[in-house]
Amino acid sequence: MSMLTPPGMGGKYRITGDRYPRMRRPRSRRRLVFAALGSVVALGLAGWGTLQLIDVFSGGGKGGDTVRAARGSADCKRDPGKGGGRDRGSGTSSRTAAAKLPKPSDITVNVYNATKRSGLAKDTADELKKRGFKIGDVGNAPTAYDKKVKAPGMLLGAPGSADGAFRVLGTQLAGTETKNDARRGKDVDLIIGTEFKDLVRQQDADKALTTLTKPSPRPSGSPC
Protein backbone atom coordinates (compact mmCIF):
# COMPACT_ATOMS: atom_id res chain seq x y z
CA MET A 1 0.00 0.00 0.00
CA SER A 2 1.22 3.42 -0.87
CA MET A 3 1.77 6.09 1.66
CA LEU A 4 -0.80 8.21 -0.21
CA THR A 5 -3.59 5.74 0.50
CA PRO A 6 -5.74 7.03 3.36
CA PRO A 7 -5.98 4.80 6.37
CA GLY A 8 -8.79 2.28 6.22
CA MET A 9 -9.09 2.43 2.47
CA GLY A 10 -7.85 -0.25 0.22
CA GLY A 11 -8.90 -2.32 -2.69
CA LYS A 12 -9.70 -0.26 -5.69
CA TYR A 13 -9.11 2.93 -3.77
CA ARG A 14 -5.53 2.01 -3.11
CA ILE A 15 -2.99 4.30 -4.70
CA THR A 16 -0.03 2.47 -6.07
CA GLY A 17 3.17 3.54 -7.71
CA ASP A 18 6.00 5.79 -6.75
CA ARG A 19 5.07 8.86 -8.92
CA TYR A 20 3.34 11.81 -7.39
CA PRO A 21 0.91 14.04 -9.29
CA ARG A 22 2.28 17.53 -10.10
CA MET A 23 0.02 20.54 -9.67
CA ARG A 24 0.30 23.15 -12.52
CA ARG A 25 -1.08 26.68 -12.48
CA PRO A 26 -3.80 27.25 -15.09
CA ARG A 27 -2.73 29.53 -17.93
CA SER A 28 -4.10 33.09 -17.80
CA ARG A 29 -6.66 33.64 -20.57
CA ARG A 30 -6.56 37.41 -20.09
CA ARG A 31 -2.94 37.56 -21.15
CA LEU A 32 -3.73 35.67 -24.30
CA VAL A 33 -6.66 37.95 -25.16
CA PHE A 34 -4.65 41.15 -24.57
CA ALA A 35 -1.77 39.83 -26.62
CA ALA A 36 -4.10 39.04 -29.54
CA LEU A 37 -5.76 42.48 -29.38
CA GLY A 38 -2.37 44.21 -29.26
CA SER A 39 -1.27 42.39 -32.39
CA VAL A 40 -4.42 43.41 -34.26
CA VAL A 41 -4.04 47.09 -33.26
CA ALA A 42 -0.37 47.15 -34.25
CA LEU A 43 -1.15 45.68 -37.66
CA GLY A 44 -3.97 48.20 -38.19
CA LEU A 45 -1.76 51.18 -37.34
CA ALA A 46 0.99 49.95 -39.62
CA GLY A 47 -1.45 49.57 -42.52
CA TRP A 48 -2.97 53.04 -41.96
CA GLY A 49 0.46 54.66 -41.87
CA THR A 50 1.40 52.95 -45.12
CA LEU A 51 -1.76 54.24 -46.84
CA GLN A 52 -1.06 57.80 -45.67
CA LEU A 53 2.47 57.72 -47.07
CA ILE A 54 1.18 56.41 -50.38
CA ASP A 55 -1.50 59.11 -50.48
CA VAL A 56 0.99 61.91 -49.81
CA PHE A 57 3.54 60.86 -52.41
CA SER A 58 0.89 60.16 -55.02
CA GLY A 59 -0.45 63.76 -54.75
CA GLY A 60 -3.98 62.84 -53.66
CA GLY A 61 -6.13 64.05 -50.76
CA LYS A 62 -4.86 66.58 -48.25
CA GLY A 63 -1.26 65.69 -48.94
CA GLY A 64 -1.70 66.75 -52.58
CA ASP A 65 -3.18 70.06 -51.47
CA THR A 66 -0.18 70.66 -49.24
CA VAL A 67 2.22 69.96 -52.08
CA ARG A 68 0.29 72.21 -54.45
CA ALA A 69 0.19 74.99 -51.85
CA ALA A 70 3.94 74.77 -51.41
CA ARG A 71 4.47 74.94 -55.15
CA GLY A 72 2.10 77.90 -55.41
CA SER A 73 4.00 79.90 -52.80
CA ALA A 74 7.22 79.17 -54.63
CA ASP A 75 5.69 80.39 -57.89
CA CYS A 76 4.69 83.65 -56.18
CA LYS A 77 8.35 84.37 -55.43
CA ARG A 78 9.39 84.04 -59.03
CA ASP A 79 10.40 87.13 -60.92
CA PRO A 80 7.60 87.86 -63.43
CA GLY A 81 10.20 89.36 -65.77
CA LYS A 82 12.08 86.06 -65.91
CA GLY A 83 9.08 83.77 -65.82
CA GLY A 84 7.68 85.03 -69.10
CA GLY A 85 4.09 84.47 -67.90
CA ARG A 86 1.20 86.80 -67.29
CA ASP A 87 0.57 88.36 -63.90
CA ARG A 88 -1.93 86.45 -61.85
CA GLY A 89 -4.36 87.51 -59.18
CA SER A 90 -6.68 90.49 -58.83
CA GLY A 91 -3.91 92.96 -59.64
CA THR A 92 -4.03 92.10 -63.34
CA SER A 93 -7.75 92.71 -63.72
CA SER A 94 -7.51 95.95 -61.76
CA ARG A 95 -4.69 97.27 -63.91
CA THR A 96 -6.55 96.27 -67.06
CA ALA A 97 -9.74 97.98 -65.90
CA ALA A 98 -7.81 101.10 -64.97
CA ALA A 99 -6.12 101.17 -68.36
CA LYS A 100 -9.49 101.10 -70.14
CA LEU A 101 -10.82 104.19 -68.36
CA PRO A 102 -10.72 107.20 -70.69
CA LYS A 103 -9.06 110.46 -69.75
CA PRO A 104 -11.22 113.58 -69.33
CA SER A 105 -9.74 114.90 -72.58
CA ASP A 106 -11.13 111.82 -74.38
CA ILE A 107 -14.71 112.47 -73.23
CA THR A 108 -17.05 114.87 -75.03
CA VAL A 109 -19.77 116.16 -72.70
CA ASN A 110 -23.05 117.74 -73.79
CA VAL A 111 -24.37 119.85 -70.93
CA TYR A 112 -28.13 120.44 -70.68
CA ASN A 113 -30.14 122.34 -68.09
CA ALA A 114 -33.37 120.65 -66.95
CA THR A 115 -34.11 123.15 -64.14
CA LYS A 116 -35.85 126.52 -63.97
CA ARG A 117 -32.59 128.29 -63.14
CA SER A 118 -30.91 129.91 -66.07
CA GLY A 119 -27.21 129.83 -66.89
CA LEU A 120 -26.44 126.49 -65.18
CA ALA A 121 -25.57 124.68 -68.40
CA LYS A 122 -23.05 127.29 -69.54
CA ASP A 123 -21.39 127.71 -66.13
CA THR A 124 -21.09 123.95 -65.65
CA ALA A 125 -19.73 123.46 -69.16
CA ASP A 126 -17.08 126.13 -68.62
CA GLU A 127 -15.95 124.50 -65.37
CA LEU A 128 -15.76 121.04 -66.94
CA LYS A 129 -13.71 122.48 -69.77
CA LYS A 130 -11.22 123.86 -67.25
CA ARG A 131 -10.94 120.36 -65.78
CA GLY A 132 -9.93 118.86 -69.10
CA PHE A 133 -13.23 117.63 -70.58
CA LYS A 134 -14.28 118.35 -74.14
CA ILE A 135 -17.54 120.24 -74.42
CA GLY A 136 -20.15 119.57 -77.10
CA ASP A 137 -23.65 121.01 -77.10
CA VAL A 138 -24.77 123.36 -74.33
CA GLY A 139 -28.39 124.44 -73.74
CA ASN A 140 -31.75 123.47 -72.33
CA ALA A 141 -32.64 119.82 -71.79
CA PRO A 142 -34.78 117.95 -74.33
CA THR A 143 -38.51 117.87 -73.65
CA ALA A 144 -38.31 114.25 -72.41
CA TYR A 145 -36.10 115.37 -69.50
CA ASP A 146 -36.93 119.05 -69.01
CA LYS A 147 -38.05 119.66 -65.40
CA LYS A 148 -38.18 115.87 -64.90
CA VAL A 149 -34.75 115.15 -63.40
CA LYS A 150 -34.90 115.43 -59.61
CA ALA A 151 -31.38 114.21 -58.88
CA PRO A 152 -28.39 116.61 -59.05
CA GLY A 153 -27.74 115.30 -62.55
CA MET A 154 -28.24 112.50 -65.04
CA LEU A 155 -25.58 110.95 -67.25
CA LEU A 156 -26.98 109.77 -70.55
CA GLY A 157 -25.01 107.84 -73.15
CA ALA A 158 -24.47 104.65 -75.11
CA PRO A 159 -24.38 101.30 -73.26
CA GLY A 160 -20.59 101.18 -73.40
CA SER A 161 -20.36 104.44 -71.46
CA ALA A 162 -21.20 102.79 -68.14
CA ASP A 163 -17.73 101.25 -67.76
CA GLY A 164 -15.81 104.28 -68.97
CA ALA A 165 -17.12 107.82 -69.44
CA PHE A 166 -19.82 107.54 -66.77
CA ARG A 167 -17.30 106.57 -64.11
CA VAL A 168 -14.89 109.36 -64.98
CA LEU A 169 -17.53 112.08 -65.34
CA GLY A 170 -19.26 110.83 -62.19
CA THR A 171 -16.28 112.00 -60.11
CA GLN A 172 -17.21 115.61 -60.95
CA LEU A 173 -20.79 115.54 -59.67
CA ALA A 174 -22.06 113.57 -56.68
CA GLY A 175 -25.41 111.80 -56.71
CA THR A 176 -25.82 111.49 -60.47
CA GLU A 177 -28.15 109.00 -62.10
CA THR A 178 -27.12 107.04 -65.19
CA LYS A 179 -29.16 105.95 -68.18
CA ASN A 180 -28.36 104.46 -71.57
CA ASP A 181 -29.93 105.27 -74.91
CA ALA A 182 -29.59 104.01 -78.47
CA ARG A 183 -26.85 106.42 -79.58
CA ARG A 184 -23.73 105.05 -81.22
CA GLY A 185 -21.38 107.92 -80.52
CA LYS A 186 -19.02 108.21 -77.56
CA ASP A 187 -20.31 111.60 -76.37
CA VAL A 188 -22.12 111.78 -73.02
CA ASP A 189 -24.96 114.03 -71.93
CA LEU A 190 -24.90 115.67 -68.51
CA ILE A 191 -28.44 116.78 -67.72
CA ILE A 192 -28.52 119.08 -64.71
CA GLY A 193 -31.38 118.21 -62.34
CA THR A 194 -33.41 119.98 -59.67
CA GLU A 195 -31.13 119.05 -56.74
CA PHE A 196 -28.03 120.39 -58.48
CA LYS A 197 -26.00 122.83 -56.39
CA ASP A 198 -22.47 122.73 -57.76
CA LEU A 199 -19.80 120.44 -59.09
CA VAL A 200 -17.49 118.63 -56.67
CA ARG A 201 -14.49 120.76 -55.77
CA GLN A 202 -11.77 120.20 -58.30
CA GLN A 203 -9.29 119.09 -55.63
CA ASP A 204 -11.69 116.39 -54.38
CA ALA A 205 -12.62 115.41 -57.93
CA ASP A 206 -8.97 114.95 -58.85
CA LYS A 207 -8.43 112.72 -55.82
CA ALA A 208 -11.46 110.63 -56.72
CA LEU A 209 -10.25 110.32 -60.30
CA THR A 210 -6.78 109.28 -59.15
CA THR A 211 -8.26 106.63 -56.86
CA LEU A 212 -10.48 105.40 -59.68
CA THR A 213 -7.58 104.87 -62.07
CA LYS A 214 -5.19 103.41 -59.49
CA PRO A 215 -4.86 99.59 -59.44
CA SER A 216 -6.51 98.01 -56.42
CA PRO A 217 -4.20 96.24 -53.93
CA ARG A 218 -4.29 92.47 -53.74
CA PRO A 219 -6.63 91.13 -51.06
CA SER A 220 -5.03 89.81 -47.89
CA GLY A 221 -4.52 86.07 -47.89
CA SER A 222 -4.01 85.89 -51.64
CA PRO A 223 -1.27 83.36 -52.51
CA CYS A 224 0.21 85.60 -55.19
Side-chain angles (χ1 to χ4, degrees), residues 102-109 132-135 164-166 168-169 186-188:
K103 298 178 181 179
S105 58
D106 297 330
I107 302 174
T108 299
V109 185
F133 292 89
K134 292 182 179 180
I135 303 301
F166 282 2
V168 176
L169 187 56
K186 295 182 180 181
D187 60 320
V188 178

Side-chain angles (χ1 to χ4, degrees), residues 1 16 37 75 81 83 101 120 140 149 166 168 182 188 190 194-195 200 210 217-218:
M1 182 181 296
T16 61
L37 290 176
D75 292 339
L101 289 176
L120 287 182
N140 294 326
V149 179
F166 282 2
V168 176
V188 178
L190 170 58
T194 305
E195 297 180 1
V200 176
T210 301
R218 295 188 181 94

Side-chain angles (χ1 to χ4, degrees), residues 8-217:
M9 298 184 65
K12 64 178 180 178
Y13 297 105
R14 184 178 60 186
I15 299 175
T16 61
D18 55 356
R19 294 184 179 182
Y20 299 94
R22 297 180 180 180
M23 304 298 291
R24 296 181 179 179
R25 295 182 180 179
R27 296 181 179 179
S28 177
R29 293 184 178 180
R30 292 183 179 180
R31 293 182 180 178
L32 295 176
V33 173
F34 288 153
L37 290 176
S39 300
V40 172
V41 172
L43 291 174
L45 290 175
W48 180 81
T50 303
L51 290 176
Q52 291 297 314
L53 289 175
I54 295 174
D55 193 28
V56 169
F57 286 103
S58 62
K62 297 181 178 179
D65 295 339
T66 304
V67 173
R68 285 191 293 271
R71 291 177 179 175
S73 61
D75 292 339
C76 292
K77 297 179 181 179
R78 293 178 180 175
D79 187 356
K82 298 180 181 180
R86 297 182 179 180
D87 292 339
R88 298 180 179 179
S90 60
T92 301
S93 59
S94 300
R95 286 190 294 270
T96 303
K100 291 182 179 180
L101 289 176
K103 298 178 181 179
S105 58
D106 297 330
I107 302 174
T108 299
V109 185
N110 304 316
V111 185
Y112 299 113
N113 184 7
T115 71
K116 297 179 179 180
R117 293 175 288 171
S118 61
L120 287 182
K122 183 179 183 304
D123 294 342
T124 303
D126 291 344
E127 182 62 27
L128 289 176
K129 186 176 181 180
K130 293 179 182 179
R131 300 183 183 188
F133 292 89
K134 292 182 179 180
I135 303 301
D137 296 334
V138 178
N140 294 326
T143 304
Y145 299 100
D146 190 25
K147 312 298 187 300
K148 297 178 182 179
V149 179
K150 296 181 180 181
M154 175 183 287
L155 303 181
L156 185 64
S161 302
D163 295 330
F166 282 2
R167 297 179 64 189
V168 176
L169 187 56
T171 60
Q172 310 299 313
L173 179 61
T176 56
E177 298 177 348
T178 60
K179 187 176 180 180
N180 299 123
D181 57 13
R183 75 180 69 188
R184 295 183 178 180
K186 295 182 180 181
D187 60 320
V188 178
D189 296 346
L190 170 58
I191 304 176
I192 299 175
T194 305
E195 297 180 1
F196 176 85
K197 294 182 180 179
D198 202 352
L199 294 175
V200 176
R201 292 190 309 170
Q202 184 172 358
Q203 183 178 0
D204 296 335
D206 290 343
K207 290 181 180 180
L209 188 59
T210 301
T211 302
L212 186 64
T213 57
K214 184 183 298 184
S216 303

